[in-house]
Amino acid sequence: MTRTVAQVIVDGLADLGVGHVFGVVGDALNPVTDAIRTTEGIDWTGFRHEEAAAFAAGARAQLSGDLAVCMGTVGPGSVHLLNGLYDAAKSGAPVLAICGQVPLSELGGDYFQEVDNDLLFRDVAVYRATVTSPSQMPRLLESAVRAAVTRRGVAVLTVPGDLGDRKVDEDRPARFALPRPAVTRPDDPALAEAAEAIAAGARVTLLVGRGAQAARAEVLRAAELLAAPMVLTLKGKEGFEEDNPYEVGQTGLIGNPGAAHAMDTCDTLIMLGTDFPYRDWYPKDCRVVQIDVREEHLGRRVPVEIGLTGDVAATLRALLPLLTPVSSRDHLDEARERFTRWQKGQADLADPAHDRRLLGRVRAMFDNRAEQIRPEALASAVDRHAAGDAIFTSDTGMTTVWLSRFVRMRGTRRLIGSYNLGSMANAMPQAIGAQLWAPDRQVVAFCGDGGLGMLLGDLMTIRSEQLPVKLVVFDNRRLGMVKLEQEQAGLPEFGTVLDNPDFAAVGEALGLTGIRVTEPGELDEAVRRALALPGPVLLDVVTNPDEVAVPGKPTVSQGWGFAIAKIKENLP
């Protein structure tokens, strides 16, 4: 029997191993969703908002490395997909978006709900095509999938509403012919030049990102030979925090004094698999050697003396025999000492009794901060009780700060977030995608109250799919990062206060187990219970809205701005 355009698409995705398609149903895509309904090996997961569906698809693609698929119908649905697709694109996640469109005969006539998808997705997609004839299938599907997978980005395939149920002219299976990844390294003269440049410095620091994850052994060997402190990007935490005597944590606004010292005092910086974007945090007047598989990353953030294009593991294996060992450990020891001292101070902050112990009874009588829950304590408790193979997601903002500082990526833990786009509201929908990818693993979402509120409706998706996601809500009644940015600039807090509901009660009303914590003494047991319960859980923890995350290298202007802001906030 000759198949329809929709059935060719769905059969091809099922054969490729796409287990779930995320989206919102709609008229133009009814033939596609009906084909999913009747096809073995591929399931439909209905969301309440297409943005959440796109975030979920991006999360699944990031974690698996394989193609993930989302759908939105006609103009409004396509527009709703856009933010989640931007996140996937900036994260290098292979995602196929199938978008419904007005009938082909109406296309270009400003029809009801019509949007120019080619224009809409031009900036975000590595591939865009509209099916205008059944004879184009499965060729357009094959091209879209190959583009998404080989270029690690978003492909958009638009299907007009009157095309999906039409019979294809040439009924053949889709053949994707996806290439096996090539492992490349620079040639020998380039490696020798890099080794010579590295040997010219006595104080070497490694900046390690997610692109080096498959090169753990080689990176540790390089750190050993060069007596080099290892600064990790946020995305580089995964795979490098456990059993690593060279690690000094993160740099940037979420960083610490040890990492700042390692960066500021080095004479040679070696960047491994990272495109760390914050130029103000790079060292000045030092030579830089960068290894990255993507040639366009070389020198993009900081001037590079030697740029090596290639797989980090393969390149380091060839480079290690050429390196001259560094005998002095002073640079490493100084950075590690600062990092260890900072970690101890952070552990003190995470103690629920910290305020009372530090401020004493007199302060406790007059300052209600002593009775509030520190976000540091919440993040630390989650770290203690979460599984060794847990998958973490985090909303952009202060929740990411607390996760970066207090959750260690030990064991086989995984971590994703909107760390390139920096979108709000990503943690909960990404957790949905993660849980559907790994149904037997614990998935923990660090949710800001602002982020959760933005896409609150998809708590119903968690309920309807009965996903055992654990949502940890840092309920400080603020857009916390914006508040901090305002105050550091000397501005009084404005527009950041959130009139939140009892999120635990909302979760209960929507079919989740809700737990609300308002007292420090209840925190540890509540976290332990929330993570141990079966099924979906929303843990709503009311945290101190005035808690400040001090950057690894605070400036006088930041401190002065904060003081001025506080004066303005307290003026009548």
Side-chain angles (χ1 to χ4, degrees), residues 456-474:
L456 193 64
D458 273 290
L459 291 179
M460 290 180 274
T461 301
I462 294 174
R463 188 271 310 277
S464 62
E465 296 293 325
Q466 279 301 295
L467 301 174
V469 171
K470 314 306 179 190
L471 304 173
V472 179
V473 184
F474 288 71

Side-chain angles (χ1 to χ4, degrees), residues 53-194:
F55 270 126
R60 183 187 180 103
Q62 288 183 65
L63 291 165
S64 68
D66 298 325
L67 183 77
V69 181
C70 59
M71 297 199 327
T73 187
V74 203
S78 297
V79 172
H80 281 167
L81 286 171
L82 195 57
N83 192 54
L85 293 180
Y86 259 103
D87 185 78
K90 291 178 74 68
S91 300
V95 172
L96 171 65
I98 300 174
C99 296
Q101 183 56 284
V102 302
L104 190 61
S105 59
E106 300 291 348
L107 198 60
D110 195 23
Y111 194 70
F112 175 65
Q113 294 190 324
E114 182 180 357
V115 166
D116 185 343
N117 280 358
D118 185 66
L119 180 63
L120 178 68
F121 294 111
R122 181 168 298 170
D123 185 50
V124 72
V126 298
Y127 179 91
R128 308 174 310 281
T130 297
V131 182
T132 58
S133 168
S135 64
Q136 295 173 304
M137 300 301 292
R139 177 171 51 86
L140 289 188
L141 174 67
E142 294 166 338
S143 297
V145 170
R146 278 197 299 270
V149 173
T150 59
R151 299 175 64 182
R152 313 304 293 177
V154 171
V156 177
L157 186 65
T158 297
V159 183
D162 55 349
L163 261 291
D165 57 2
R166 294 195 30 200
K167 303 293 186 179
V168 298
D169 298 337
E170 179 190 1
D171 189 5
R172 65 170 179 83
R175 302 184 184 95
F176 298 106
L178 299 179
R180 296 178 182 272
V183 177
T184 61
R185 72 163 180 85
D187 61 16
D188 291 341
L191 293 171
E193 187 180 359

Side-chain angles (χ1 to χ4, degrees), residues 349-370:
L349 289 176
D351 184 345
H354 173 273
D355 283 342
R356 286 192 178 277
R357 185 176 63 248
L358 179 65
L359 302 174
R361 294 187 178 183
V362 175
R363 176 70 181 275
M365 290 173 60
F366 298 101
D367 188 348
N368 64 6
R369 283 187 57 184

